[in-house]
C-alpha cells in the first residue's frame, strides 16, 4: 500500500513539474499526408527555448527560415541539403520555414513560438503560389481551431 501511494505521488510530482525545453521532430518528405514535397507536421507550436529537429525522411531537402516571415531582428537559419539540423527558437513569434529547392512547389511549414497572434502582414507575406496555398491552408486550420475554442 505504501509503495502504491509513493508511485501516485511521484506521478503527480512529474505532472506538476515545470515544463522543460522540448525537441519536436519534423520530417522532410517527398510525399506525405498533405501531398508531395512536405514538412510533416506542417504546423508546430513551441514554447520559447524549445527546438525542432528537422529529420531527413526523404533525400534532397533542407530546412531554412523564410525572409520576411520571421520575428524582427531574427538572423535566420539555413540547413544544407540532406542535413539534419536542430534549431532552437528563443524568440516569441511566427516563423515561416521552407525547403530551398522546393519552395516553389509549396514545401513550407509554420512554427509558432509563445503566445502571439498572426498579423495581416504575416498572412500576406510574399511567397510563391503553391507555398501561398499551403500557408493559407495552415492559417485556415488555425482560424478554425481558434473559432472552436
Ligand atoms: Cu524539399
Amino acid at each position: 500500500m505504501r509503495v502504491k501511494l509513493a508511485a501516485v505521488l511521484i506521478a503527480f510530482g512529474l505532472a506538476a513539474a515545470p515544463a522543460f525545453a522540448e525537441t519536436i521532430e519534423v520530417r522532410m518528405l517527398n510525399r506525405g499526408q498533405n501531398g508531395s514535397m512536405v514538412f510533416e507536421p506542417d504546423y508546430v507550436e513551441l514554447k520559447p527555448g524549445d527546438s525542432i529537429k528537422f529529420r531527413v525522411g526523404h533525400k534532397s531537402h533542407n530546412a531554412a527560415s523564410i525572409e520576411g516571415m520571421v520575428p524582427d531582428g531574427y538572423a535566420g537559419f539555413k540547413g544544407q541539403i540532406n542535413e539534419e539540423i536542430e534549431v532552437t527558437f528563443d524568440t516569441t513569434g511566427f516563423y515561416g520555414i521552407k525547403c530551398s529547392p522546393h519552395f516553389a512547389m509549396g514545401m513550407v511549414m509554420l512554427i509558432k513560438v509563445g503566445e502571439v497572434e498572426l498579423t495581416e502582414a504575416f498572412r500576406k507575406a510574399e511567397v510563391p503560389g503553391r507555398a501561398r496555398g499551403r500557408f493559407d491552408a495552415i492559417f485556415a486550420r488555425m482560424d478554425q481551431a481558434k473559432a472552436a475554442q
Side-chain angles (χ1 to χ4, degrees):
M1 194 64 195
R2 206 164 263 190
V3 170
K4 256 188 188 168
L5 182 60
V8 167
L9 288 175
I10 287 166
F12 267 103
L14 287 176
F20 292 102
E22 288 181 277
T23 299
I24 293 178
E25 294 200 349
V26 170
R27 293 189 306 154
M28 304 183 280
L29 301 173
N30 294 348
R31 175 155 288 279
Q33 288 184 332
N34 289 333
S36 59
M37 304 304 175
V38 292
F39 288 97
E40 211 166 83
D42 65 359
Y43 175 61
V44 176
E45 293 183 353
L46 302 178
K47 302 180 301 297
D50 285 350
S51 301
I52 289 191
K53 182 163 194 181
F54 292 94
R55 301 294 307 268
V56 176
H58 296 123
K59 294 201 168 172
S60 305
H61 303 290
N62 79 332
S65 53
I66 299 172
E67 219 182 305
M69 293 186 85
V70 291
D72 286 343
Y74 181 71
F77 70 90
K78 182 178 184 183
Q80 299 299 309
I81 301 295
N82 297 329
E83 186 187 8
E84 297 205 322
I85 54 170
E86 188 167 323
V87 182
T88 301
F89 295 87
D90 292 317
T91 305
T92 296
F94 284 98
Y95 298 75
I97 307 298
K98 66 180 175 184
C99 165
S100 305
H102 303 124
F103 192 22
M105 295 175 74
M107 187 161 170
V108 293
M109 70 168 294
L110 182 66
I111 300 167
K112 178 187 179 185
V113 178
E115 286 307 312
V116 59
E117 294 294 324
L118 275 172
T119 62
E120 279 308 301
F122 191 93
R123 286 178 190 259
K124 295 196 167 113
E126 209 162 308
V127 295
R130 293 187 68 178
R132 169 88 279 137
R134 287 256 169 88
F135 275 125
D136 285 347
I138 295 168
F139 297 152
R141 291 204 311 267
M142 292 169 69
D143 291 341
Q144 279 173 6
K146 200 171 177 188
Q149 278 176 0

